[in-house]
Amino acid sequence: MDTTQLLKGVLDVAVLAAVQHEDGYGYDIVRRLRGAGLGDVGEASVYGTLRRLYGAGALTSYVVPSDGGPHRKYYGINEEGRKMLDEQRVSWTAFANTMADLLATGTTGKPAAVKTIGARA
């Protein structure tokens, strides 16, 4: 399965999760994501996601000087980012459980009257 499209849908939450315990600079975050099993994640996608999350107020940033190369811009999660991560964690868990049921049985086993993920009220 080509995971490129799947990654686009979950990259925000993946990046927030990658910095939830420790700040990191761009390529460091790419390595964390790849080390966690997201081997297809592209550097440009992660850098764009970091800029977008920073612009949305979910991340803080600061620059650390480097003796042996360019300065590194570090990103850290803030309170807004933790809120976003918590909300996305709940959504992801519900979605993953629904997909697991569907793939295992061909049905979600939930009555049609239950609000479905992504459905508009």
Side-chain angles (χ1 to χ4, degrees), residues 7-8 13 18-19 22-23 31 35 37 41 58-59 67 91 100 118 120:
L7 277 172
K8 287 181 183 178
V13 69
V19 297
E22 182 180 7
D23 297 354
R31 285 194 311 229
V41 70
L59 299 175
D67 294 333
S91 295
R120 301 202 188 268

Side-chain angles (χ1 to χ4, degrees), residues 10-23 29 32-33 36 38 53 59 77 81-82 84-86 88-89:
V10 299
L11 197 51
D12 284 10
V13 69
V15 167
L16 289 171
V19 297
Q20 68 181 319
H21 299 298
E22 182 180 7
D23 297 354
I29 295 167
R32 290 181 199 179
L33 294 171
L38 300 178
L53 289 171
L59 299 175
I77 195 168
R82 289 189 191 286
M84 288 173 65
L85 178 59
D86 289 344
Q88 291 180 26
R89 186 179 280 125

Side-chain angles (χ1 to χ4, degrees), residues 80-97:
E80 180 64 23
R82 289 189 191 286
K83 180 181 170 190
M84 288 173 65
L85 178 59
D86 289 344
E87 290 169 356
Q88 291 180 26
R89 186 179 280 125
V90 169
S91 295
W92 174 258
T93 301
F95 179 77
N97 289 338

Side-chain angles (χ1 to χ4, degrees), residues 69-81:
H71 300 323
R72 292 185 171 152
K73 187 172 190 177
Y74 278 75
Y75 293 90
I77 195 168
N78 59 25
E79 201 56 42
E80 180 64 23

